[in-house]
Amino acid sequence: MNWLLPLAFISALIGPRPWQPLTSVNLATIDIRPTWDSPWLQQRLAADPAAEKILNDYVAGLAGLGFSASQQSVAVNVGRYPAAHHQESRRLPAASLTKIATTLAVLETYGVEHQFETFVGWQGTIANGTLQGDLIIKGAYDPLFVWEEGITLGNSLQQLGIQRVTGSLIVIDRFVMNFNTDPLVSGELLKQSMNSATWGGAVETQYATLPTGTPKPTLQIQGPVQVVSAAPTIEQASGWLIRHKSLPLAVILKAMNIYSNNVMAEMLSTLAGGPANVVKIAEQIGVTPGEISLVNGSGLGEDNQLSAQAVIILMQGIQDRLQTKNLNFADLFPVSGTDVGTLIDRNIPVNATVKTGSLAVVSALAGAFPTEKKGIVWFAIVNYGNGLETLRSRQDRLLTALEQQWGKANQLPNQIKATLQFNQDPYRLGDTKRNEIIQAPGAQSQSLHPAP
């Protein structure tokens, strides 16, 4: 069929038509360039064959020493994107990297500014410097009530005019001192801390860290320590003297992570709802189910397991939450070159913010460090096998090699610059400003409510 005839016929019917261009698209108004924060470009910038080789050599070196390559999980990220990895989703015993999950869960539960409140009250009468009756301590499961806090609490009571207690020291609720979760023992420690005549070398050592001129308390409690149930004691109390506030939660977490304190971690995990809830919170912020399994909040035991990839997600989740409070990851974890604790004898790049973890056959290290070419690099290394010193040395060498590859940062980015220092002003242990007077002796008695 000759299709030219119908076309000519149609053209004759409608007549000649002027050419009409398609609706124009103003390309000048559309930015087709990849933005610096686009996932595509960030992923391309993060990728680095040289880093992959460094990591492959690291794993091969461990294998050459007899470590199983399948029992190592490593992830190195530039920002949110992987730069090098080896079995990054493999879940392995992670020791104290568990405390990273605990830290996140406690932040979600309480917030960085939360302070635990311990109340001091009395039962009986107060006259001429003597409490004829009992001194009462209502605990709040404060994880960092230590010698310094007890010393200055004793001073505050004496400044209120109480020099002697004829009765007992009554402990109610969960009072913990010096990381001892037995309330009876903690009560004995508090009683000792408030009377310098009973001090030993340990108390004297911590007293020496307090500001020059801090008085040595001499509060005498003649009766024994007793642990009782809360309800009847609160109802029978004659009044309440002091509200002792803990350091802010951010500072408590910093101390826990610097020294990798297992008791503090267990206490905080309990306050956050226990290990099951810690796992739930981790999965809610993006950790893949199956890449985290916990039986406690400290990391003690090989049943606490994380993948390297999960650890990075947890750390970045903490960073995201802290930045809304003008804090960052370095404010809650030890910084190489600044903090000591578990970083003694480590050769980690200066200004790296890290968390260590160790069990008999587990060595783990995770954190972030600044580089010149790649900015902030996040990493997690979970090693399994005998030979902790060897594994730690190899971890340090891996980080050093990556820093050499990407260049040492000329300056520390604000995103990982610590602004909070544990046991330095204004966050010192034993600061009397955290002992708030509720009622001075001789004032009208008041009930505990609504105080605690």
Side-chain angles (χ1 to χ4, degrees), residues 16 28 50 67 140 172 310:
F67 295 96
I172 59 177

Side-chain angles (χ1 to χ4, degrees), residues 31-317:
D31 188 357
I32 61 174
R33 297 170 300 173
T35 60
W36 285 105
D37 60 353
S38 73
W40 176 83
L41 185 56
Q42 290 293 329
Q43 194 164 4
R44 293 296 297 269
L45 290 172
D48 191 334
E52 287 280 6
K53 183 179 185 307
I54 290 171
L55 179 53
N56 290 339
D57 289 345
Y58 165 79
V59 175
L62 291 179
L65 294 172
F67 295 96
S68 171
S70 65
Q71 295 289 83
Q72 322 304 323
S73 180
V74 186
V76 180
N77 276 27
V78 173
R80 306 284 176 178
Y81 300 96
H85 48 85
H86 170 79
Q87 295 201 126
E88 71 281 5
S89 59
R90 173 72 187 274
R91 195 183 76 201
L92 292 168
S96 283
L97 296 195
T98 298
K99 293 182 177 72
I100 298 173
T102 297
T103 297
L104 173 69
V106 177
L107 286 177
E108 288 287 87
T109 305
Y110 289 97
V112 295
E113 298 168 353
H114 179 78
Q115 291 175 280
F116 300 94
E117 296 182 344
T118 299
F119 290 85
V120 184
W122 87 95
Q123 183 175 322
T125 60
I126 301 173
N128 301 318
T130 298
L131 165 57
Q132 295 283 348
D134 302 320
L135 191 68
I136 303 170
I137 299 295
K138 183 182 184 300
Y141 219 43
D142 177 354
L144 197 55
F145 194 107
V146 290
W147 289 124
E148 295 92 326
E149 307 289 278
I151 291 169
T152 54
L153 185 59
N155 285 334
S156 293
L157 286 167
Q158 290 194 272
Q159 287 168 8
L160 284 175
I162 300 175
Q163 311 298 328
R164 187 167 66 96
V165 177
T166 63
S168 299
L169 176 62
I170 304 295
V171 176
I172 59 177
D173 285 355
R174 297 179 293 181
F175 177 67
V176 177
M177 182 166 175
N178 292 346
F179 320 115
N180 194 307
T181 55
D182 183 332
L184 181 61
V185 175
S186 288
E188 294 285 1
L189 293 170
L190 177 61
K191 182 179 177 180
Q192 180 184 4
S193 70
M194 294 193 295
N195 185 358
S196 57
T198 65
W199 286 2
V203 196
E204 290 283 1
T205 297
Q206 297 312 121
Y207 169 78
T209 67
L210 294 170
T212 302
T214 298
K216 289 186 176 183
T218 56
L219 178 63
Q220 300 177 40
I221 301 175
Q222 295 178 337
V225 175
Q226 298 182 44
V227 178
V228 302
S229 59
T233 306
I234 290 176
E235 292 171 0
Q236 296 166 15
S238 302
W240 298 88
L241 300 164
I242 295 174
R243 175 193 288 108
H244 168 82
K245 289 189 173 183
S246 73
L247 287 164
L249 181 60
V251 186
I252 291 173
L253 289 168
K254 178 81 170 184
M256 178 192 78
N257 287 315
I258 287 176
Y259 300 104
S260 206
N261 188 296
N262 292 325
V263 176
M264 292 178 69
E266 296 289 4
M267 292 173 66
L268 290 167
S269 174
T270 298
L271 289 166
N277 200 49
V278 173
V279 170
K280 179 181 177 181
I281 291 172
E283 292 176 349
Q284 286 174 344
I285 66 115
V287 172
T288 301
E291 292 190 28
I292 178 172
S293 178
L294 305 178
V295 297
N296 58 47
S298 64
L300 283 173
E302 292 187 29
D303 289 333
N304 296 286
Q305 299 183 358
L306 289 158
S307 71
Q309 181 171 256
V311 174
I312 288 182
I313 291 170
L314 291 169
M315 294 189 297
Q316 293 182 341

Side-chain angles (χ1 to χ4, degrees), residues 293-432:
S293 178
L294 305 178
V295 297
N296 58 47
S298 64
L300 283 173
E302 292 187 29
D303 289 333
N304 296 286
Q305 299 183 358
L306 289 158
S307 71
Q309 181 171 256
V311 174
I312 288 182
I313 291 170
L314 291 169
M315 294 189 297
Q316 293 182 341
I318 291 169
Q319 176 80 341
D320 291 342
R321 282 148 183 79
L322 291 177
Q323 288 187 326
T324 64
K325 300 293 184 179
N326 296 318
L327 297 172
N328 64 75
F329 189 71
D331 288 310
L332 268 60
F333 290 85
V335 178
S336 178
T338 301
D339 300 310
V340 184
T342 61
L343 300 186
I344 294 175
D345 299 327
R346 296 300 296 259
N347 294 307
I348 296 167
V350 175
N351 293 326
T353 299
V354 300
K355 182 71 195 78
T356 60
S358 299
L359 293 172
V361 289
V362 178
S363 181
L365 184 68
F369 65 97
T371 66
E372 186 64 25
K373 296 178 182 177
K374 296 290 187 177
I376 298 173
V377 174
W378 297 84
F379 68 92
I381 308 166
V382 185
N383 294 136
Y384 189 87
N386 285 302
L388 294 185
E389 292 305 318
T390 297
L391 291 172
R392 289 169 182 163
S393 174
R394 294 280 172 149
Q395 291 165 1
D396 295 354
R397 287 162 59 181
L398 172 60
L399 295 186
T400 299
L402 290 171
E403 185 183 52
Q404 290 174 347
Q405 170 63 26
W406 292 326
K408 185 174 182 178
N410 291 326
Q411 59 184 8
L412 182 61
N414 288 332
Q415 294 94 323
I416 55 169
K417 180 184 292 185
T419 59
L420 179 159
Q421 297 295 330
F422 169 61
N423 210 16
Q424 295 185 22
D425 290 333
Y427 304 116
R428 285 194 174 275
L429 292 169
D431 189 343
T432 56

